[in-house]
Amino acid sequence: EHSKQWYQRRVAITAGGKLCQDNLGIAEPTEAFNRWLLEQQTRKVDDYKDPVLCSTEELSASLSREIMEDLPLKVRLPRSKVTSTDSIRTLITKMEQLADKDTLDREDKETLMGACSIATKNNTEFSNSRELLADLKNQCKDVVNRYYKSQVEHVCREMHVQCNNVSEQIREYGKRFLGDISPRNSPPSTKLVGCRPAELSSTWSLKSYPWDKIDPPDTGDWDQVYSQRDQVVLVFEGQQQVINQTHFDKLRELYRFLGGEMKAFDMRVWCLLKRYEMLRSSINTGYFRGVENFGLHAALPGPAFRVLRELFHVTFECFASPFNCYFRQFCSAFPDIDCYFGSRGSFFDFTPRRGSFQANPPFSEEVMLRMAEHIDTLLGDTDLPLMFVVFIPDWRDPMTPAIPKLSNSPFKQKEELLESRCHQYVTGNQHVQRMSLYSAVHGTRVYVLQNVPATQEWPISDRSMNRLKHAMSFNDV
């Protein structure tokens, strides 16, 4: 049943990719769809139909914005003089083709051609190539937005209809097996329940192995679970899911810690892998999927978590998954399947009264803003010591709304900026990748938010902030 639901969801997303190709002439904007899927987790939905595709009446502003960013061409940062020149030349060509459109007025055409002329003259130095690409996009942005606005709205509207239909189908399908699956509206409990500060490292020593040389057996039996070259392969009805052996062992430990039924373990791991495949690229690499989408929900490196535990008294992660969690307790995107491995549900339904928490949300503006609002609410609703250590990207062009929200919070005690390419993260796909660490191409802002009792219980010094900064750097990873 989980396999059929995954297929239905994938059809909806694939349909969105085809809409972009047919209406906008661009490839499937995988990153835009991934961020849109994350945005669904922040929405309050009265009639909750599906844990992945939420059915709502409003169109997604973020999806529209993300698709518009890819028009008329997705710009990637150049890594060499050759790629720099090619990227600028290709973008200039796209802008010139747009200027030839009959529907553009004379002023818009002059704007495009003027920007292209300047970019052509300056396309000689690699040192200023990034600025040149950004300037060209910015100069043409208003024209591009006006030209593509109605087409992008059509794509988003069709995506909205597709996903509403799929979520309704999944709900009706589930009813036949599970009965009514609507959430129960019950008042929250006021009973305080302690959270055990158990640790489980999210950084693993992964060996190098030849991914493209794995030849899985041709079988449709469910009971095919076998190890091969430091991975575990799980097969159900011919559909294979692969996970690194070390992460498979980690999931088993999490599962046993919660007293799960071991005969259902392999099935639940397969379902878990299948679910998170929705948040990864649809590109195939061998029979692994989406290995290039490493930054979707990256985790902090192990040394940073150890500093957070020792100096900041953190025992819980507000945004994690069974694959990248460091502690045995965490909040996650899909509690219906993650709960078997330690998830306490969505952070937006989580109401802690005391404790110290780490929050490293997926880099989606809607998720980060709602997180900041929820944290302020939690800190203001309790008289017990409560603290959050928050990590968000330093997006300033344009400024992401979460930055001023956190910087101006009445509960902010500390703020630190980690410079780009001077610190590292663990990849979001660490459970299927060979390389687990990557250099952050963006700066990272670190906030310490505390209520008054927390400042007395856990005072945070500048030395502690420096230790955390060093733990995120290359020197300590």
Side-chain angles (χ1 to χ4, degrees):
E1 316 311 335
H2 199 95
S3 174
K4 180 169 181 174
Q5 292 179 13
W6 178 90
Y7 176 74
Q8 290 175 315
R9 297 181 187 116
R10 189 70 245 177
V11 165
I13 303 301
T14 303
K18 190 173 187 307
L19 283 167
C20 287
Q21 292 171 351
D22 294 345
N23 292 272
L24 303 172
I26 60 174
E28 176 184 349
T30 303
E31 186 174 352
F33 288 159
N34 283 335
R35 296 190 188 282
W36 170 75
L37 283 171
L38 291 172
E39 179 197 355
Q40 306 307 298
Q41 307 306 312
T42 71
R43 297 193 173 193
K44 288 291 186 182
V45 183
D46 295 331
D47 187 13
Y48 189 82
K49 295 180 175 64
D50 178 58
V52 179
L53 301 176
C54 296
S55 174
T56 63
E57 296 302 322
E58 57 183 301
L59 296 178
S60 170
S62 67
L63 181 60
S64 174
R65 183 178 62 249
E66 290 277 353
I67 293 176
M68 195 70 77
E69 284 294 319
D70 286 357
L71 293 170
L73 177 73
K74 184 175 181 64
V75 175
R76 298 184 182 277
L77 296 180
R79 300 193 178 202
S80 68
K81 182 175 176 58
V82 175
T83 58
S84 165
T85 303
D86 290 344
S87 297
I88 296 173
R89 187 182 298 119
T90 303
L91 184 57
I92 290 173
T93 301
K94 286 287 186 180
M95 293 299 185
E96 289 175 342
Q97 291 173 352
L98 181 58
D100 290 336
K101 300 292 184 182
D102 295 334
T103 53
L104 285 183
D105 60 33
R106 181 178 178 181
E107 184 178 350
D108 286 344
K109 290 184 177 183
E110 290 176 352
T111 299
L112 292 176
M113 295 307 297
C116 291
S117 177
I118 295 174
T120 301
K121 293 178 182 178
N122 295 332
N123 189 16
T124 56
E125 299 273 342
F126 173 65
S127 58
N128 68 345
S129 58
R130 296 186 181 188
E131 292 79 5
L132 189 58
L133 278 168
D135 287 344
L136 181 56
K137 286 275 284 188
N138 287 334
Q139 289 180 49
C140 303
K141 185 176 181 179
D142 291 340
V143 177
V144 170
N145 288 351
R146 283 195 295 272
Y147 179 78
Y148 285 106
K149 180 180 178 182
S150 61
Q151 300 170 65
V152 171
E153 288 178 350
H154 171 71
V155 170
C156 292
R157 192 175 297 108
E158 289 299 313
M159 275 288 294
H160 176 75
V161 172
Q162 286 267 2
C163 292
N164 275 358
N165 291 341
V166 169
S167 62
E168 183 62 44
Q169 292 170 16
I170 290 176
R171 177 177 174 81
E172 293 302 318
Y173 188 74
K175 273 185 176 181
R176 296 203 298 269
F177 294 93
L178 305 173
D180 185 12
I181 55 175
S182 297
R184 301 289 187 262
N185 294 321
S186 56
S189 173
T190 57
K191 180 181 178 181
L192 295 181
V193 179
C195 289
R196 184 174 177 181
E199 300 175 29
L200 187 65
S201 176
S202 64
T203 53
W204 302 87
S205 178
L206 302 182
K207 299 179 181 178
S208 176
Y209 44 80
W211 287 34
D212 298 332
K213 296 182 180 179
I214 299 177
D215 298 317
D218 183 13
T219 177
D221 298 334
W222 163 248
D223 57 357
Q224 283 292 328
V225 179
Y226 61 94
S227 297
Q228 189 173 23
R229 296 191 183 96
D230 293 333
Q231 300 102 32
V232 174
V233 182
L234 302 99
V235 185
F236 172 62
E237 292 186 350
Q239 299 184 56
Q240 302 161 15
Q241 291 295 319
V242 182
I243 182 173
N244 294 330
Q245 178 71 58
T246 47
H247 285 79
F248 185 76
D249 295 339
K250 171 186 177 180
L251 292 178
R252 183 188 290 114
E253 184 174 344
L254 288 168
Y255 191 78
R256 283 176 172 166
F257 181 76
L258 293 172
E261 186 181 14
M262 290 310 299
K263 69 179 182 180
F265 172 71
D266 293 335
M267 174 191 68
R268 284 169 175 159
V269 171
W270 186 91
C271 291
L272 182 73
L273 289 163
K274 202 69 173 173
R275 174 66 62 80
Y276 276 86
E277 195 172 31
M278 290 300 302
L279 293 183
R280 294 158 58 195
S281 168
S282 59
I283 295 177
N284 290 315
T285 304
Y287 66 99
F288 295 87
R289 294 181 180 271
V291 293
E292 94 287 352
N293 194 19
F294 56 85
L296 181 63
H297 188 192
L300 304 186
F305 272 113
R306 289 193 285 273
V307 170
L308 287 172
R309 177 73 184 95
E310 295 168 6
L311 301 182
F312 294 77
H313 311 281
V314 171
T315 60
F316 192 105
E317 296 166 76
C318 298
F319 297 90
S321 75
F323 303 119
N324 69 10
C325 63
Y326 182 88
F327 299 104
R328 280 194 172 102
Q329 51 197 2
F330 54 90
C331 287
S332 65
F334 307 119
D336 63 311
I337 184 65
D338 296 342
C339 64
Y340 298 107
F341 304 94
S343 173
R344 297 294 184 92
S346 168
F347 174 65
F348 303 116
D349 297 324
F350 186 55
T351 55
R353 299 285 294 167
R354 69 169 294 156
S356 181
F357 301 82
Q358 180 258 15
N360 174 35
F363 293 168
S364 164
E365 290 192 332
E366 289 73 20
V367 174
M368 293 188 292
L369 179 59
R370 189 169 170 210
M371 172 207 67
E373 294 169 347
H374 188 51
I375 286 176
D376 271 0
T377 300
L378 293 173
L379 289 168
D381 285 350
T382 180
D383 295 327
L384 301 173
L386 187 61
M387 176 170 78
F388 293 88
V389 185
V390 180
F391 299 78
I392 64 170
D394 185 35
W395 290 345
R396 288 179 284 184
D397 187 21
M399 178 76 72
T400 185
I403 290 179
K405 179 68 176 177
L406 291 167
S407 296
N408 299 324
S409 170
F411 302 102
K412 186 193 78 172
Q413 302 298 326
K414 297 288 183 180
E415 180 178 352
E416 187 72 45
L417 175 62
L418 309 182
E419 297 294 337
S420 62
R421 302 191 182 279
C422 294
H423 61 290
Q424 298 193 83
Y425 282 93
V426 183
T427 66
N429 282 345
Q430 58 175 278
H431 58 288
V432 295
Q433 285 191 262
R434 290 175 290 178
M435 298 176 60
S436 61
L437 292 171
Y438 73 96
S439 173
V441 297
H442 54 77
T444 296
R445 287 179 179 262
V446 184
Y447 295 91
V448 177
L449 305 175
Q450 298 174 294
N451 60 7
V452 174
T455 61
Q456 299 169 354
E457 178 111 357
W458 307 303
I460 304 301
S461 65
D462 291 338
R463 180 175 177 273
S464 296
M465 295 297 293
N466 288 333
R467 282 279 304 277
L468 178 59
K469 184 176 182 179
H470 181 75
M472 290 283 289
S473 70
F474 297 100
N475 298 325
D476 205 6
V477 175

